[in-house]
Amino acid sequence: MSPSSWRCVYEILTRYGISHDIAKDIAKNDLRNWEIDEVDEVLKKVNVPYRGYCYFRLPFFERPGEPFDFKKWWPSVFSAGEDSSWVSPTRKMMHQSVKEQAALCVNAKKEWSLRTGGYVALSHVWIEGLQRDNDHNGLSGEKFRAIFALLRDRKIDAEWVWTDVLVIPAGGPAKTSPAEENLTIDIINTLPVIYARAAAVIILDALVLQLRSESLTDIAVALISGRWTTRVWTFQEIKLAQRALVVTSTGTYQYSDIVSHVKGLADAQPHRYRAMYLRLAVLEKNEERGLSIPDIVMACGSRRSGMDIDYARAFFPVLGLKWEYGMTREEGMKMIYTSQKRHAPRIACFYGAPRMKINPGWAPSYFHGLEGMVTDALEWDDRGIRGEWYTVRIVKVLKKFPHSRRTAFDFELDCLGDRTMQCALAPNEDPDVINSLEKVIPRGETYILSLIPSRNAITEEWARVALIVEKNHSCEPESFEAAVYCASVITSRGEHHEDKMSILLRHGNPMEHGGLRNDVSYS
């Protein structure tokens, strides 16, 4: 299958109800070299009664194959005798679980217990139905029964269950009191021990739950096609797990067995299975190797959250960091970067997110949506990061224009060879940065930095990623120091004969730190 035909795979995925973002991602990567018939054959085994169906979706709980029920439309008429209770532990028990660093678990009889072992933890996607009700501040009795019914049906030995929807207060900072938000933070900071002590972490994905197949290949395809691989919180849930189980319509399978199976396929047919193997393998716990920022970027490039703060907070448990009340997302990102000074500079030249407004100003402000090349480790010092870059100076802006939801520039360059270059900024780039670029370029000290020269551009299909920076004065006359404005993709082709130079990228953000202007020496 030719690289351009990923759209055919994308189309068949969307026909089966796979969301457009997921379909585009895996069609371009994991299933890029699959035939359409092969993808179709797997998805035919997903027994979904209607588009958007989820096992735990309420208020009208349904299971495949059940006859039409008028309770779906007039539930109040049939409410007599049914379990309409809401399940939730007391706040006292929640606080006690934090104090004792124990998992607050429940059994099928709705009995609560603080445990340090002998329980399973659920890993799921809230929007697929298993979520706490804000009005009743608990989980409906019907959903509660469905959890234990599912575990029994799949022969999972689980007397005690821990799940976040029961033991973490509902809502977010805008909906909860400061006391409840503090409790939520305290519980989040205990997640490493909760998931690590669990006998197993049970992966519940709405699409995989409807898969009728015992093929580990089919399960892997369903897993990457579902929403479970697209949420930031599920990353840390499996990454902290000693053992993870994937639940399908017909049984339960070890996550490690699925990864090992796909690895064997990738060894034999790397063009078909390597991307899928890397996506799944990076999620496994590896105490010997540990976890680095490039690992997170690779594993979480397409993961999302309903709360902006979670784009930093969700990674704290798996990195061994403690979140504090009142922290912002950027403050959280700063803690992550400074905790990994060896690995953080390796994603300096990634495109897809604005740069940090606080130190380090050269770093992406998000981990999701990034694309680029991981660099060799750059040297981090007190003032910035130093490394080798291919550089070319911008003379002036020839044209600024919108391009596919992005802002693009045509630049005139000071170089031998092709003297024009087109760069496109990220769709979510800060408008103030875009406006500032037009003002600083006439000063004559703006450069484009890339990790590979234009003559070595990888393929015609993938654009190079570059940083747009302004050179700053330094106390060392021969030193090249610069402040980063943004990342871009070079959307034009041409050989520019760039110079290779050692450059210090300063931690400060030129938009926020006046001392980075060229009229002030920065020592």
Side-chain angles (χ1 to χ4, degrees):
M1 181 177 290
S2 65
S4 62
S5 61
W6 66 265
R7 291 179 178 83
C8 300
V9 175
Y10 163 79
E11 182 177 342
I12 196 69
L13 289 168
T14 56
R15 285 183 182 180
Y16 278 97
I18 310 299
S19 74
H20 291 274
D21 289 344
I22 297 174
K24 186 176 182 180
D25 182 23
I26 63 176
K28 280 187 169 184
N29 297 286
D30 310 67
L31 303 179
R32 188 180 190 84
N33 294 304
W34 282 52
E35 297 297 332
I36 299 173
D37 291 344
E38 294 174 313
V39 178
D40 184 59
E41 193 62 32
V42 174
L43 296 180
K44 281 179 179 177
K45 301 172 187 176
V46 178
N47 182 30
V48 178
Y50 54 83
R51 186 181 290 264
Y53 171 83
C54 295
Y55 183 88
F56 292 104
R57 184 68 56 80
L58 279 183
F60 312 117
F61 195 91
E62 302 175 67
R63 291 187 176 86
E66 286 188 350
F68 179 83
D69 193 339
F70 282 99
K71 288 187 289 185
K72 176 173 181 177
W73 309 109
W74 295 285
S76 59
V77 177
F78 300 88
S79 60
E82 292 194 355
D83 183 0
S84 59
S85 63
W86 297 88
V87 183
S88 178
T90 64
R91 287 294 187 270
K92 181 179 179 180
M93 292 198 75
M94 290 183 181
H95 284 287
Q96 191 176 352
S97 71
V98 172
K99 183 179 179 180
E100 297 183 13
Q101 296 285 289
L104 181 51
C105 302
V106 66
N107 63 16
K109 299 177 182 179
K110 301 181 184 178
E111 298 170 335
W112 294 93
S113 175
L114 292 171
R115 309 188 67 82
T116 57
Y119 63 91
V120 299
L122 304 186
S123 179
H124 62 100
V125 180
W126 281 36
I127 60 174
E128 291 186 337
L130 191 57
Q131 56 189 206
R132 193 181 187 90
D133 185 273
N134 289 333
D135 294 331
H136 297 90
N137 199 21
L139 188 68
S140 73
E142 197 167 14
K143 289 185 181 181
F144 179 84
R145 294 195 312 275
I147 293 172
F148 285 92
L150 178 65
L151 297 178
R152 285 193 304 270
D153 184 64
R154 302 304 191 272
K155 296 179 173 55
I156 298 174
D157 184 16
E159 180 184 1
W160 297 98
V161 171
W162 183 95
T163 178
D164 52 1
V165 297
L166 283 172
V167 300
I168 297 180
K175 298 180 181 179
T176 58
S177 66
E180 284 201 325
E181 183 62 18
N182 265 314
L183 176 58
T184 297
I185 292 170
D186 288 340
I187 295 172
I188 288 173
N189 288 335
T190 67
L191 292 181
V193 296
I194 289 172
Y195 284 107
R197 289 173 178 170
V201 172
I202 312 298
I203 297 171
L204 303 177
D205 177 272
L207 187 145
V208 181
L209 278 172
Q210 305 308 315
L211 176 67
R212 293 184 175 275
S213 174
E214 296 181 358
S215 163
L216 296 183
T217 303
D218 292 350
I219 297 171
V221 172
L223 199 56
I224 65 173
S225 303
R227 288 194 180 98
W228 181 83
T229 57
T230 69
R231 312 308 295 175
V232 295
W233 281 108
T234 57
F235 170 73
Q236 58 92 27
E237 291 165 4
I238 186 172
K239 199 69 179 177
L240 293 168
Q242 301 291 346
R243 176 171 172 255
L245 300 176
V246 179
V247 181
T248 71
S249 179
T250 57
T252 304
Y253 301 84
Q254 297 268 8
Y255 185 84
S256 58
D257 290 345
I258 298 170
V259 174
S260 296
H261 173 75
V262 177
K263 182 181 186 302
L265 297 175
D267 290 341
Q269 303 179 66
H271 66 292
R272 280 171 56 84
Y273 293 102
R274 179 168 171 75
M276 184 187 302
Y277 167 68
L278 292 176
R279 185 189 294 268
L280 297 173
V282 75
L283 302 181
E284 279 196 296
K285 186 173 186 177
N286 189 326
E287 293 182 352
E288 181 179 345
R289 183 173 181 269
L291 179 67
S292 68
I293 287 176
D295 291 335
I296 294 175
V297 171
M298 178 181 173
C300 302
S302 58
R303 292 178 182 265
R304 297 292 184 268
S305 173
M307 294 177 60
D308 185 70
I309 199 171
D310 286 340
Y311 286 112
R313 185 169 66 175
F315 303 117
F316 267 51
V318 77
L319 291 170
L321 301 174
K322 299 291 185 183
W323 192 265
E324 297 178 7
Y325 181 78
M327 282 177 59
T328 65
R329 176 186 49 77
E330 285 225 335
E331 289 170 340
M333 292 295 290
K334 179 178 180 178
M335 281 189 65
I336 293 173
Y337 283 125
T338 55
S339 73
Q340 293 215 353
K341 293 182 178 180
R342 179 186 170 211
H343 292 292
R346 300 177 69 193
I347 65 164
C349 196
F350 269 64
Y351 163 88
R355 303 298 97 172
M356 293 273 288
K357 292 183 178 179
I358 60 178
N359 291 0
W362 47 263
S365 56
Y366 291 88
F367 289 141
H368 79 280
L370 296 181
E371 56 184 270
M373 179 183 294
V374 176
T375 71
D376 293 332
L378 305 179
E379 181 184 351
W380 177 307
D381 67 25
D382 292 340
R383 294 195 296 121
I385 57 172
R386 186 177 298 279
E388 299 280 319
W389 298 87
Y390 290 93
T391 70
V392 61
R393 189 174 69 87
I394 301 173
V395 175
K396 64 181 179 180
V397 176
L398 297 174
K399 183 182 179 182
K400 172 189 172 185
F401 57 97
H403 175 68
S404 300
R405 299 187 298 112
R406 303 177 293 185
T407 298
F409 288 93
D410 284 341
F411 293 127
E412 180 182 329
L413 307 178
D414 177 16
C415 66
L416 298 175
D418 192 337
R419 292 177 56 86
T420 62
M421 178 185 289
Q422 185 179 102
C423 293
L425 310 187
N428 58 349
E429 188 56 74
D430 186 342
D432 289 340
V433 169
I434 298 172
N435 293 332
S436 293
L437 276 180
E438 294 184 279
K439 297 176 182 178
V440 301
I441 287 174
R443 299 206 292 240
E445 297 288 348
T446 309
Y447 289 76
I448 294 172
L449 311 184
S450 58
L451 292 168
I452 57 175
S454 53
R455 65 178 180 273
N456 292 344
I458 302 172
T459 68
E460 296 181 11
E461 186 177 2
W462 304 112
R464 283 189 299 151
V465 177
L467 297 178
I468 300 179
V469 308
E470 185 179 22
K471 185 177 181 180
N472 299 134
H473 289 174
S474 169
C475 56
E476 301 174 8
E478 301 301 319
S479 176
F480 191 136
E481 299 187 3
V484 179
Y485 275 88
C486 61
S488 69
V489 288
I490 300 173
T491 52
S492 61
R493 299 175 62 193
E495 189 170 338
H496 308 291
H497 300 280
E498 303 95 333
D499 296 320
K500 189 174 184 180
M501 304 180 69
S502 175
I503 299 175
L504 178 79
L505 299 180
R506 294 176 175 173
H507 291 316
N509 184 307
M511 300 293 296
E512 304 292 328
H513 301 84
L516 292 178
R517 295 193 304 269
N518 271 331
D519 57 350
V520 178
S521 179
Y522 184 73
S523 61

